[in-house]
Amino acid sequence: MPSFFLLGVLPQVQETPTMKLHALLDWNDISHKLKGLYRREETHGGGQTPYDPLSMFKAMLLGQWHGLSDTQLEQALKVRIDFMVFTGFEPGMDFPDATTLCRFRNRLVHAKLDQVLLRRITGQLERQGLKVSGARGAIIDATILQSAARPDRHIDVPDEGDAQIIDSADREARWVKKGASAFYGYRGYAAVDSEDGYVEHVEVHPANEAEVNKLVGVVDRLAPGVEAILADKGYASQANREALAQRGIGDLIQHKAQRNAPLQPWQRQANRLIATLRFKVEQAFGTLKRRFHLSRARYFGVAKVQAQMCWAALGMNLLKAHRKLEQIHCPGRGAPA
């Protein structure tokens, strides 16, 4: 039952964007997936009682939505009423510090819950009628995520073994050249629902790994019901087209000209039609970077950067759902995320 503090301030904050987003979800369903993150839950041993996992997850989402570092989030939890109501923390309580928030995020990464929670919450939006369910298309593309670390090439000489050339403290990031510029970091992949523009799946790989080899892996992780895959010519290969055919999925990958084999008129026309449908994935990347600060990674390593991208996708999907509700209840208000 909500405390006196929460009941007293709820009317003041219930119309804020933070609380409107909070009202979209069945948090009990999410709480069930967070069980078992702490060993103390299984052993019932002594020691300090851990913070409620659901409150910690909500706090972590707030940090992503507002672009806050762990230190900034620690301070915001202590002073912002809407943050307290959202998470369940109250004045006078022992608030989690930045280190505790970081460790909780690492627990989620270690438990591989990023994709699980993204699918869980997306499923809730489908059941509420805010996202199209069933047969649909998926648009796949990738974007560069610069490393949180500065490139700093040096030689690492361990006590045993061969010396290694290290580019940065972020050892899993890699260089890639795009156009006239070079980037050090990762490539983040997203599969976006062609109907509503919700992000259904994300994954992250070192930036130097070829996009064309990642499409099948993304397709196989999508929920059942995908009828067609839309992608630009960077994913065009005979292997990818055969893989889609074997899975009974429509092939809407743009065509790529080959040496001594220019595109046929029908291929150029198909490319133009596919290009008119792909804007939703570009729109999603724009929102993820502009609104959810995904231009640069905050953490080191593929797993943690992928989790960051997942949390940003969660925030974007909830924001999109909230705006869709506004359009339903107040036609003329709200805009696509």
Side-chain angles (χ1 to χ4, degrees):
M1 178 178 294
S3 68
F4 178 78
F5 168 75
L6 296 182
L7 290 173
V9 301
L10 187 58
Q12 303 174 41
V13 300
Q14 61 186 1
E15 292 302 314
T16 64
T18 298
M19 292 310 298
K20 286 181 178 179
L21 290 172
H22 183 274
L24 283 173
L25 298 179
D26 175 3
W27 293 100
N28 288 330
D29 178 58
I30 297 169
S31 179
H32 177 72
K33 302 303 296 183
L34 297 173
K35 290 182 178 179
L37 283 175
Y38 296 98
R39 182 177 299 178
R40 192 177 188 275
E41 293 180 58
E42 299 177 359
T43 63
H44 304 287
Q48 184 176 356
T49 301
Y51 292 100
D52 175 52
L54 183 58
S55 293
M56 295 292 289
F57 176 66
K58 290 179 177 181
M60 193 201 62
L61 280 181
L62 287 175
Q64 293 292 338
W65 290 344
H66 295 275
L68 303 177
S69 68
D70 291 335
T71 301
Q72 291 170 330
L73 178 58
E74 175 189 348
Q75 295 302 316
L77 286 171
K78 297 175 181 178
V79 298
R80 288 193 54 167
I81 293 176
D82 57 334
F83 277 38
M84 294 182 197
V85 176
F86 187 97
T87 59
F89 293 116
E90 300 184 26
M93 290 181 63
D94 180 23
F95 287 86
D97 59 19
T99 301
T100 303
L101 292 165
C102 179
R103 287 175 177 169
F104 178 79
R105 184 174 55 250
N106 290 342
R107 288 179 185 274
L108 292 176
V109 172
H110 181 72
K112 298 181 179 180
L113 284 176
D114 48 346
Q115 303 285 7
V116 172
L117 292 168
L118 177 60
R119 288 194 297 269
R120 197 88 172 186
I121 291 175
T122 301
Q124 287 196 28
L125 299 179
E126 286 185 0
R127 290 191 292 275
Q128 292 187 45
L130 298 171
K131 179 185 180 300
V132 172
S133 59
R136 62 199 182 281
I139 312 168
I140 296 175
D141 205 354
T143 189
I144 297 296
L145 307 176
Q146 295 191 59
S147 171
R150 288 180 174 273
D152 180 23
R153 174 165 289 199
H154 62 279
I155 298 177
D156 183 22
V157 184
D159 294 335
E160 298 180 1
D162 298 331
Q164 297 180 344
I165 297 177
I166 305 300
D167 281 314
S168 166
D170 188 358
R171 298 193 176 199
E172 296 183 29
R174 292 294 184 271
W175 284 101
V176 67
K177 187 174 182 181
K178 191 169 184 180
S181 302
F183 300 91
Y184 184 73
Y186 302 88
R187 214 187 290 265
Y189 295 79
V192 174
D193 172 17
S194 64
E195 296 291 332
D196 297 309
Y198 288 98
V199 178
E200 296 192 325
H201 176 77
V202 304
E203 56 186 65
V204 169
H205 299 279
N208 66 333
E209 295 184 3
E211 291 182 56
V212 69
N213 297 328
K214 304 301 180 185
L215 183 133
V216 175
V218 174
V219 170
D220 285 345
R221 288 170 177 81
L222 292 175
V226 175
E227 286 193 331
I229 293 296
L230 296 85
D232 65 26
K233 62 184 179 181
Y235 299 89
S237 73
Q238 189 62 30
N240 283 341
R241 296 188 190 280
E242 290 177 356
L244 293 180
Q246 290 170 2
R247 290 159 175 76
I249 297 175
D251 173 6
L252 292 177
I253 302 173
Q254 289 183 318
H255 299 275
K256 186 176 183 179
Q258 304 294 331
R259 181 178 296 180
N260 300 323
L263 293 179
Q264 298 297 312
W266 71 269
Q267 291 175 315
R268 291 195 292 270
Q269 177 66 15
N271 282 357
R272 285 193 290 270
L273 291 174
I274 294 169
T276 64
L277 301 172
R278 289 188 60 259
F279 76 94
K280 288 181 180 177
V281 72
E282 300 296 341
Q283 188 179 65
F285 283 140
T287 301
L288 291 171
K289 292 187 174 186
R290 181 183 63 256
R291 175 68 173 79
F292 296 100
H293 311 279
L294 197 65
S295 295
R296 180 179 292 274
R298 293 183 180 179
Y299 319 110
F300 294 171
V302 168
K304 292 182 180 180
V305 177
Q306 178 173 287
Q308 178 192 349
M309 191 173 183
C310 250
W311 311 142
L314 272 175
M316 194 201 82
N317 286 354
L318 290 173
L319 181 62
K320 183 178 288 291
H322 167 58
R323 289 176 174 175
K324 193 168 185 177
L325 273 178
E326 281 192 328
Q327 290 178 320
I328 293 171
H329 296 152
C330 304
R333 292 183 59 189

